[in-house]
Amino acid sequence: MNHTTITEDELLSAHDGRAPRVLSGMQPSADSLHLGNYLGALVNWVKAQEDYDSFYFIPDMHAITVPHDPADLAERTRRTVAQYIAGGIDIEKSTLFVQSHVPEHAQLAWIMMCLTGFGEASRMTQFKDKSAKLGSDSVGVGLFTYPMLMAADILLYNPDAVPVGDDQKQHVELARDLAQRFNHRFGETFIVPKGLIRKDGARIYDLQDPTSKMSKSASSPNGLINILDEPKVIAKRIKSAVTDAGTEVSYDRQEKPGVSNLLEILSTVSDTSVETLVKEFEGKMYGHLKVAVADAVVERLEPIRKRTFELLEDPAELDRLLARGAEKARAVAAPVLADVYKKVGFLAPAGQAL
Ligand code: ATP
Ligand code: LTN
């Protein structure tokens, strides 16, 4: 086993009796999750809540590290919550909350910033990529300190594992380093978390450019399947997906990235192995495969889309659910922060325990 990541089997066998804890979040930076977010992240979170003590949150504070529109952020935060719930997050099983509702995140982030070297932060690849794209004049310091806020998000809950995509692994590494550094300087405080690698983690590619991952920041929306899109839009995008030379439906990521992506999507949504699907489509044309993918994806997403919009009709109820989530989260985070404050030497205000 590698020291910085953990597989599911290792995670489950590492504990006797106590449910291991996992924590993750997705930024509310689009009006809808896309199929990659859903199949690559949310579906796994929903499974995880059965076996783990799960904490899921909406990192709205991370979403303002790039220029943003306030009305959009508020709306997208609610939409994200509604999609999590419609997609299967059960607030009785998981703790679901919004980052800015738990002030301990910002408070611990400051301490994490004071523990991080300037050079160390400068080496974070996401910062380097985004700042190169935006230009140094339009990049805020918040983008630079983003990984330290993420370390605080993680360490406040002492999770055993943090399920994230590849692009976030370096940030989880930093959280590990900071946890170890803090423990070393101030005494054992944090569990050193591991990134969670899933054997079956689906990676979904852009329908128009099947060598790039499906991403909300793609240059054209045509390669994206948004889970809140109308069924006819989804079907149209799948039917216009780029396919490859030849006519045979076979799986080969290098030679046939378009067809392989469609097979992988169908395999994940229909819970059927790619091998079985290839046999099923023997002698059939790409068009048949596209129809099957479109039908299966629409069937899977339609109830989620409907449920999301139903939930959004009652924002006050969503806000109440979030208030309960924040309360549960604070019950874990506040004592951890108090311990940290004491260990770094902050005085307790008169008459108050830290
Ligand atoms: P970006 O614009 O940064 O690419 P995104 O919406 O595509 O954004 P993130 O917000 O970075 O994705 O990721 C949220 C979660 O969704 C992460 O856990 C990530 O691994 C997962 N995810 C994103 N895109 C895909 C994809 N194409 N296939 C599988 N999982 C994905
Ligand atoms: N940076 C992550 C979102 C995120 C996160 C976290 C994920 C913020 N804080 C803590 C896991 C744990 C992203 O963009 N996907």
Side-chain angles (χ1 to χ4, degrees):
M1 130 167 144
N2 136 350
H3 293 296
T4 60
T5 57
I6 190 165
T7 64
E8 272 211 273
D9 292 344
E10 287 163 350
L11 182 58
L12 281 170
S13 63
H15 290 261
D16 18 49
R18 178 170 82 83
R21 181 173 290 168
V22 298
L23 168 133
S24 201
M26 267 190 264
Q27 286 191 53
S29 42
D31 289 333
S32 171
L33 299 184
H34 57 68
L35 193 67
N37 301 141
Y38 174 64
L39 296 177
L42 186 56
V43 165
N44 293 331
W45 294 4
V46 171
K47 280 190 208 145
Q49 67 185 352
E50 301 302 326
D51 296 320
Y52 308 117
D53 179 17
S54 306
F55 284 70
Y56 300 123
F57 72 103
I58 289 105
D60 56 344
M61 290 158 66
H62 277 106
I64 67 164
T65 55
V66 289
H68 77 287
D69 178 87
D72 281 351
L73 178 61
E75 171 65 16
R76 288 170 173 179
T77 299
R78 279 216 190 87
R79 277 179 167 238
T80 307
V81 176
Q83 289 173 91
Y84 283 5
I85 296 174
I89 298 295
D90 177 345
I91 59 150
E92 301 302 330
K93 292 181 183 157
S94 298
T95 303
L96 175 62
F97 64 99
V98 172
Q99 185 185 34
S100 63
H101 290 177
V102 181
E104 285 79 2
H105 289 244
Q107 292 173 290
L108 184 61
W110 176 252
I111 292 167
M112 292 296 134
M113 285 182 234
C114 296
L115 278 181
T116 307
F118 193 83
E120 189 176 30
S122 312
R123 287 191 291 275
M124 293 286 124
T125 54
Q126 181 179 292
F127 171 73
K128 288 200 287 188
D129 293 348
K130 283 200 185 172
S131 55
K133 244 186 240 161
L134 293 166
S136 62
D137 282 345
S138 27
V139 167
V141 176
L143 194 63
F144 187 66
T145 59
Y146 175 120
M148 292 127 252
L149 175 59
M150 180 158 162
D153 298 338
I154 297 171
L155 300 180
L156 273 175
Y157 300 92
N158 278 315
D160 300 279
V162 184
V164 285
D166 279 355
D167 60 325
Q168 296 298 317
K169 272 197 202 142
Q170 197 188 24
H171 293 158
V172 177
E173 283 293 320
L174 178 73
R176 287 172 54 80
D177 290 346
L178 293 174
Q180 277 160 341
R181 197 169 301 163
F182 189 96
N183 289 348
H184 182 71
R185 283 198 200 155
F186 303 106
E188 275 314 301
T189 307
F190 296 118
I191 290 183
V192 181
K194 295 193 172 201
L196 178 64
I197 306 292
R198 273 184 177 265
K199 295 187 286 275
D200 56 351
R203 177 155 282 271
I204 309 300
Y205 293 86
D206 189 285
L207 297 174
Q208 291 300 318
D209 172 14
T211 53
S212 308
K213 73 163 198 148
M214 189 176 283
S215 157
K216 61 180 169 283
S217 30
S219 52
S220 146
N222 295 334
L224 264 185
I225 299 173
N226 285 318
I227 76 172
L228 299 183
D229 280 344
E230 295 277 342
K232 58 178 187 301
V233 173
I234 294 179
K236 186 161 172 240
R237 290 204 178 145
I238 294 174
K239 287 173 189 163
S240 325
V242 164
T243 41
D244 315 286
T247 53
E248 190 196 341
V249 174
S250 62
Y251 187 86
D252 183 336
R253 273 246 59 98
Q254 299 305 320
E255 300 297 322
K256 289 192 169 226
V259 173
S260 303
N261 188 33
L262 292 174
L263 281 168
E264 221 154 283
I265 293 173
L266 184 55
S267 161
T268 315
V269 292
S270 64
D271 231 339
T272 312
S273 73
V274 167
E275 237 176 20
T276 309
L277 292 174
V278 168
K279 276 195 207 118
E280 222 170 87
F281 283 92
E282 212 177 284
K284 293 192 181 148
M285 320 268 270
Y286 291 159
H288 289 106
L289 174 64
K290 287 182 175 177
V291 171
V293 176
D295 288 350
V297 170
V298 165
E299 189 183 306
R300 177 70 174 265
L301 296 185
E302 188 51 5
I304 301 177
R305 186 178 76 95
K306 282 203 178 125
R307 182 76 190 121
T308 301
F309 287 117
E310 269 168 30
L311 288 164
L312 287 169
E313 274 170 24
D314 191 353
E317 175 60 14
L318 279 179
D319 292 353
R320 271 194 294 278
L321 301 180
L322 288 174
R324 271 176 54 201
E327 209 178 298
K328 273 166 75 183
R330 287 196 82 177
V332 177
V336 172
L337 184 76
D339 185 32
V340 167
Y341 267 31
K342 219 183 279 167
K343 284 185 169 136
V344 299
F346 289 164
L347 275 184
Q352 279 179 43
L354 260 183

